[in-house]
Amino acid sequence: MRDDDVNPGVPAPPRRQFLKYSGALGATAALSPALAACSAGPESTNDTGGGGSGKDRTLTAVIGYGNDGSWDPTQTASAFAMAANNHIYEGLLDTDPITREPYPALATAIPADPSATTWRFPLRSGATFHDGKPVTADDVVFVFDRILDPDTQTLAKGFFAPWLDSVRKVDARTVELVLKFPFPDGLSRLTLAKIMPRHVFSRPGAWDDAIKGLAVGSGPYRQTAHHPKSNTTFEAFAAYNGPRKPAFRKMNWLTIVDAAPRVAKISGTGAGAQIADNIPYANIPRLEQGGLKVAGGAGMNNLFLMFNTRHEPFDDVRVRQALHYAIDTEKMVRVALKGHGRPASSFLNEGNPGYRRARTVYDHDPDKAKALLRAAGVTDLKVEILAVNVSWIVDCLPTIKSSWDAIGVRTTLAPQETTAVFTKMDQKQDYQVVAAASNPNQFGRDADLIMHYNYGPGNLWMRYTRWAGHPVAQRLFKDMDRAAREPDPAKKKAMIQDYIDVVAEQAVLYPVVHNELMTAWDPRELSGIRAQPYPGINVLQAKWT
């Protein structure tokens, strides 16, 4: 995200394989019904994927993020692709989209002892991939071998390599995971290792096809067509025998990043969709008056500032702190977010189980900001904010500019497409400050995962900030590793909270506000919808009203 947004000690994947947020790659591909090849597809958001009526009608959803990012489950942080992959693929265990509690998916049970260093998983009898081939232990080992391969840089590696030693085949339908140390939080992370068919993705070039949109899983829905920058269609997988059955015969997910047409698609007498995510706060009253249900989820979704610590004067912690203290966050929440957010008081949002108010909290204090700049010997500072053009981020930017202008920092706003911003990061171009959206809750909500997603010696974000070699960073990474290995939950929580205090004080990459993400749907047509606190939708427990 991108959004989100989406890595414990993650080595940087090759450029254009790590997909941030909406993660546009610009590839144009459409999958055949057999999901076996890629070819050019139509550019039409009016493609409903087959129509139908009554219970057989097509569920049409509007996603406020691009569908042209990577669809490789081991690589992607694309909000659209991650949401879709949760319907296409299964992990050994998957997690409830709201509670994030794990439940058996391809595995038949959750290990009785989460603190054990060996977990054995029998696979569900009769589970098959969308091409009709059975799911086997070899497929599970194939995916984990890719994730743990030291020579293959994937986003998923950072979620598993620190604590998972190996995955081995016991027999054709049983696997064993061998842990480096007890790590109960790993159970919920297994949903991030989507099981993919070895016979499909071991072929030459298949991982590139996965990036472009090739998706073959064992989940309740199979992908039937993929039109980047337009829409992706799905149909119920008739042979699915898992725990969360498909309730919709067909689905058509439209990608509409611009707010106005996205809202128009779900509202009024000509509404062409039944559900949409990323609803602008200003539109909530009108949608509710039109009979739609609008609900939000408060989580880790945040606007963050990321500083280039190799570009003076942002190598000085006092300058970074000054710019945070200068921001009128209460005004930002009131004006830009319409009350649907909170100023950050920790890296974690206040609803996270690991939350504690940080030792350094950037309450609006322009006098302190000016004093810090003076102490750093900084005068006549000019700053260009390189920002993503996500609609709610754009709404927040004027508050940052006016706040910085008010302390004598001449500020220029430079919002661009998300892909353009992070292409510059990947190319190691010079920059001063980036303002963007992030939501690690796409991957989970345990504090260890969230913090390692953003901080770590080989982490992509740390490469962007150029801070990983700093002595404070080196101490921080060691503290993070010690906390991850701590077996006592209370001690581990305290250790994480302590190193979050360091992250807050350093303000290298740090949230300004945490906000709610809003989802709207028509309750006259859909039931069982639950609004997520992270981008995308999950309809695995929804049905027609």
Side-chain angles (χ1 to χ4, degrees), residues 61-76:
V62 185
I63 309 298
Y65 306 91
N67 74 337
D68 54 349
S70 173
W71 283 66
D72 174 358
T74 71
Q75 294 279 35
T76 191

Side-chain angles (χ1 to χ4, degrees), residues 43-107:
E43 296 287 335
S44 171
T45 56
N46 295 318
D47 176 3
T48 63
S53 60
K55 297 296 183 182
D56 288 334
R57 67 192 185 276
T58 297
L59 170 67
T60 301
V62 185
I63 309 298
Y65 306 91
N67 74 337
D68 54 349
S70 173
W71 283 66
D72 174 358
T74 71
Q75 294 279 35
T76 191
S78 159
F80 192 112
M82 288 192 69
N85 283 343
N86 286 333
H87 296 74
I88 296 169
Y89 292 100
E90 298 176 281
L92 291 171
L93 306 179
D94 281 330
T95 57
D96 182 86
I98 306 302
T99 68
R100 311 314 286 268
E101 289 297 317
Y103 63 88
L106 274 173

Side-chain angles (χ1 to χ4, degrees), residues 87-89 130 217-223 234-237 240 244-251 539-540 542:
H87 296 74
I88 296 169
Y89 292 100
H130 297 156
S218 62
Y221 292 94
R222 61 188 292 267
Q223 188 196 74
F234 314 80
E235 69 178 14
F237 179 41
Y240 178 73
R244 299 199 170 180
K245 306 286 194 262
F248 308 103
R249 188 175 70 87
K250 293 188 176 184
M251 298 194 297
V539 296
L540 294 180

Side-chain angles (χ1 to χ4, degrees), residues 84 327 396:
I327 300 172
C396 291

Side-chain angles (χ1 to χ4, degrees), residues 71-387:
W71 283 66
D72 174 358
T74 71
Q75 294 279 35
T76 191
S78 159
F80 192 112
M82 288 192 69
N85 283 343
N86 286 333
H87 296 74
I88 296 169
Y89 292 100
E90 298 176 281
L92 291 171
L93 306 179
D94 281 330
T95 57
D96 182 86
I98 306 302
T99 68
R100 311 314 286 268
E101 289 297 317
Y103 63 88
L106 274 173
T108 58
I110 298 174
D113 183 6
S115 296
T117 53
T118 300
W119 295 334
R120 178 169 288 201
F121 293 101
L123 302 182
R124 187 176 74 236
S125 178
T128 60
F129 290 112
H130 297 156
D131 61 2
K133 300 291 180 60
V135 180
T136 70
D138 290 329
D139 300 302
V140 178
V141 173
F142 167 73
V143 169
F144 278 101
D145 279 353
R146 172 175 168 80
I147 290 172
L148 297 176
D149 181 2
D151 297 324
T152 302
Q153 305 306 333
T154 63
L155 178 62
K157 182 193 297 290
F159 300 134
F160 292 96
W163 57 273
L164 181 59
D165 182 72
S166 61
V167 176
R168 60 196 182 198
K169 174 182 176 180
V170 177
D171 57 41
R173 303 204 60 77
T174 309
V175 296
E176 233 173 34
L177 274 62
V178 180
L179 282 61
K180 296 176 181 177
F181 50 86
F183 194 70
D185 285 341
L187 290 175
S188 63
R189 295 192 192 182
L190 293 181
T191 189
L192 301 174
K194 301 301 187 187
I195 306 307
M196 307 169 74
R198 184 180 68 168
H199 64 274
V200 173
F201 291 99
S202 62
R203 298 193 312 252
W207 290 113
D208 288 336
D209 291 339
I211 291 172
K212 297 172 185 176
L214 178 65
V216 185
S218 62
Y221 292 94
R222 61 188 292 267
Q223 188 196 74
T224 53
H226 177 54
H227 311 316
K229 299 185 182 293
S230 173
N231 68 314
T232 303
T233 61
F234 314 80
E235 69 178 14
F237 179 41
Y240 178 73
N241 67 346
R244 299 199 170 180
K245 306 286 194 262
F248 308 103
R249 188 175 70 87
K250 293 188 176 184
M251 298 194 297
N252 183 32
W253 288 18
L254 313 176
T255 170
I256 305 179
V257 177
D258 292 341
R262 183 167 67 251
V263 171
K265 196 71 177 180
I266 196 176
S267 59
T269 56
Q274 295 87 31
I275 183 171
D277 76 342
N278 198 16
I279 297 298
Y281 307 121
N283 294 106
I284 293 173
R286 179 167 66 86
L287 293 177
E288 289 179 334
Q289 290 168 7
L292 298 183
K293 172 71 174 177
V294 185
M300 270 296 297
N301 206 62
N302 66 85
L303 180 158
F304 67 85
L305 294 181
M306 178 172 68
F307 292 93
N308 179 358
T309 61
R310 297 279 178 86
H311 189 124
E312 294 182 353
F314 309 109
D315 58 332
D316 191 322
V317 63
R318 293 169 294 185
V319 175
R320 302 193 297 266
Q321 289 181 340
L323 293 177
H324 271 279
Y325 277 120
I327 300 172
D328 190 344
T329 50
E330 294 288 353
K331 177 183 176 182
M332 183 181 289
V333 169
R334 184 176 66 255
V335 175
L337 304 181
K338 310 300 181 188
H340 293 276
R342 288 176 178 268
S345 56
S346 166
F347 199 99
L348 302 176
N349 64 296
E350 294 182 19
N352 188 285
Y355 169 84
R356 181 184 73 195
R357 184 176 171 88
R359 188 170 59 231
T360 304
V361 176
Y362 297 101
D363 296 323
H364 183 218
D365 193 337
D367 291 335
K368 187 169 188 175
K370 293 176 184 177
L372 284 165
L373 290 177
R374 286 196 300 271
V378 174
T379 58
D380 196 29
L381 180 59
K382 299 176 183 177
V383 177
E384 178 184 81
I385 303 177
L386 180 62

